[in-house]
mmCIF file with all atom_site columns, all heavy atoms in Angstrom:
data_model
loop_
_atom_site.group_PDB
_atom_site.id
_atom_site.type_symbol
_atom_site.label_atom_id
_atom_site.label_alt_id
_atom_site.label_comp_id
_atom_site.label_asym_id
_atom_site.label_entity_id
_atom_site.label_seq_id
_atom_site.pdbx_PDB_ins_code
_atom_site.Cartn_x
_atom_site.Cartn_y
_atom_site.Cartn_z
_atom_site.occupancy
_atom_site.B_iso_or_equiv
_atom_site.pdbx_formal_charge
_atom_site.auth_seq_id
_atom_site.auth_comp_id
_atom_site.auth_asym_id
_atom_site.auth_atom_id
_atom_site.pdbx_PDB_model_num
ATOM 1  N N   . ARG B 1 113 ? -8.312  -19.408 -30.132 1.00 0.00 ? 1301 ARG B N   1
ATOM 2  C CA  . ARG B 1 113 ? -7.853  -20.516 -29.297 1.00 0.00 ? 1301 ARG B CA  1
ATOM 3  C C   . ARG B 1 113 ? -8.061  -20.194 -27.830 1.00 0.00 ? 1301 ARG B C   1
ATOM 4  O O   . ARG B 1 113 ? -8.531  -21.009 -27.051 1.00 0.00 ? 1301 ARG B O   1
ATOM 5  C CB  . ARG B 1 113 ? -6.358  -20.791 -29.550 1.00 0.00 ? 1301 ARG B CB  1
ATOM 6  C CG  . ARG B 1 113 ? -6.110  -22.003 -30.443 1.00 0.00 ? 1301 ARG B CG  1
ATOM 7  C CD  . ARG B 1 113 ? -4.619  -22.169 -30.695 1.00 0.00 ? 1301 ARG B CD  1
ATOM 8  N NE  . ARG B 1 113 ? -4.153  -21.247 -31.722 1.00 0.00 ? 1301 ARG B NE  1
ATOM 9  C CZ  . ARG B 1 113 ? -3.064  -20.464 -31.640 1.00 0.00 ? 1301 ARG B CZ  1
ATOM 10 N NH1 . ARG B 1 113 ? -2.306  -20.505 -30.558 1.00 0.00 ? 1301 ARG B NH1 1
ATOM 11 N NH2 . ARG B 1 113 ? -2.735  -19.669 -32.624 1.00 0.00 ? 1301 ARG B NH2 1
ATOM 12 N N   . LEU B 1 114 ? -7.723  -18.970 -27.475 1.00 0.00 ? 1302 LEU B N   1
ATOM 13 C CA  . LEU B 1 114 ? -7.915  -18.545 -26.089 1.00 0.00 ? 1302 LEU B CA  1
ATOM 14 C C   . LEU B 1 114 ? -9.380  -18.681 -25.689 1.00 0.00 ? 1302 LEU B C   1
ATOM 15 O O   . LEU B 1 114 ? -9.710  -19.181 -24.616 1.00 0.00 ? 1302 LEU B O   1
ATOM 16 C CB  . LEU B 1 114 ? -7.462  -17.094 -25.929 1.00 0.00 ? 1302 LEU B CB  1
ATOM 17 C CG  . LEU B 1 114 ? -7.770  -16.437 -24.579 1.00 0.00 ? 1302 LEU B CG  1
ATOM 18 C CD1 . LEU B 1 114 ? -7.032  -17.146 -23.448 1.00 0.00 ? 1302 LEU B CD1 1
ATOM 19 C CD2 . LEU B 1 114 ? -7.404  -14.958 -24.592 1.00 0.00 ? 1302 LEU B CD2 1
ATOM 20 N N   . GLU B 1 115 ? -10.281 -18.269 -26.578 1.00 0.00 ? 1303 GLU B N   1
ATOM 21 C CA  . GLU B 1 115 ? -11.717 -18.396 -26.281 1.00 0.00 ? 1303 GLU B CA  1
ATOM 22 C C   . GLU B 1 115 ? -12.074 -19.847 -25.979 1.00 0.00 ? 1303 GLU B C   1
ATOM 23 O O   . GLU B 1 115 ? -12.825 -20.132 -25.050 1.00 0.00 ? 1303 GLU B O   1
ATOM 24 C CB  . GLU B 1 115 ? -12.549 -17.905 -27.474 1.00 0.00 ? 1303 GLU B CB  1
ATOM 25 C CG  . GLU B 1 115 ? -12.595 -16.400 -27.609 1.00 0.00 ? 1303 GLU B CG  1
ATOM 26 C CD  . GLU B 1 115 ? -13.568 -15.956 -28.705 1.00 0.00 ? 1303 GLU B CD  1
ATOM 27 O OE1 . GLU B 1 115 ? -14.277 -16.820 -29.275 1.00 0.00 ? 1303 GLU B OE1 1
ATOM 28 O OE2 . GLU B 1 115 ? -13.619 -14.740 -28.980 1.00 0.00 ? 1303 GLU B OE2 1
ATOM 29 N N   . GLY B 1 116 ? -11.525 -20.729 -26.773 1.00 0.00 ? 1304 GLY B N   1
ATOM 30 C CA  . GLY B 1 116 ? -11.815 -22.148 -26.568 1.00 0.00 ? 1304 GLY B CA  1
ATOM 31 C C   . GLY B 1 116 ? -11.363 -22.635 -25.205 1.00 0.00 ? 1304 GLY B C   1
ATOM 32 O O   . GLY B 1 116 ? -12.116 -23.314 -24.490 1.00 0.00 ? 1304 GLY B O   1
ATOM 33 N N   . SER B 1 117 ? -10.163 -22.225 -24.812 1.00 0.00 ? 1305 SER B N   1
ATOM 34 C CA  . SER B 1 117 ? -9.678  -22.732 -23.533 1.00 0.00 ? 1305 SER B CA  1
ATOM 35 C C   . SER B 1 117 ? -10.416 -22.090 -22.366 1.00 0.00 ? 1305 SER B C   1
ATOM 36 O O   . SER B 1 117 ? -10.665 -22.718 -21.335 1.00 0.00 ? 1305 SER B O   1
ATOM 37 C CB  . SER B 1 117 ? -8.167  -22.555 -23.417 1.00 0.00 ? 1305 SER B CB  1
ATOM 38 O OG  . SER B 1 117 ? -7.837  -21.195 -23.487 1.00 0.00 ? 1305 SER B OG  1
ATOM 39 N N   . LEU B 1 118 ? -10.829 -20.823 -22.534 1.00 0.00 ? 1306 LEU B N   1
ATOM 40 C CA  . LEU B 1 118 ? -11.605 -20.176 -21.469 1.00 0.00 ? 1306 LEU B CA  1
ATOM 41 C C   . LEU B 1 118 ? -12.974 -20.833 -21.340 1.00 0.00 ? 1306 LEU B C   1
ATOM 42 O O   . LEU B 1 118 ? -13.475 -21.044 -20.233 1.00 0.00 ? 1306 LEU B O   1
ATOM 43 C CB  . LEU B 1 118 ? -11.790 -18.684 -21.781 1.00 0.00 ? 1306 LEU B CB  1
ATOM 44 C CG  . LEU B 1 118 ? -10.560 -17.799 -21.637 1.00 0.00 ? 1306 LEU B CG  1
ATOM 45 C CD1 . LEU B 1 118 ? -10.849 -16.406 -22.195 1.00 0.00 ? 1306 LEU B CD1 1
ATOM 46 C CD2 . LEU B 1 118 ? -10.123 -17.694 -20.178 1.00 0.00 ? 1306 LEU B CD2 1
ATOM 47 N N   . ALA B 1 119 ? -13.565 -21.149 -22.472 1.00 0.00 ? 1307 ALA B N   1
ATOM 48 C CA  . ALA B 1 119 ? -14.879 -21.788 -22.476 1.00 0.00 ? 1307 ALA B CA  1
ATOM 49 C C   . ALA B 1 119 ? -14.825 -23.071 -21.662 1.00 0.00 ? 1307 ALA B C   1
ATOM 50 O O   . ALA B 1 119 ? -15.708 -23.340 -20.838 1.00 0.00 ? 1307 ALA B O   1
ATOM 51 C CB  . ALA B 1 119 ? -15.307 -22.089 -23.910 1.00 0.00 ? 1307 ALA B CB  1
#
Side-chain angles (χ1 to χ4, degrees):
Chain B
R1301 258 177 281 132
L1302 172 63
E1303 284 187 6
S1305 61
L1306 288 171

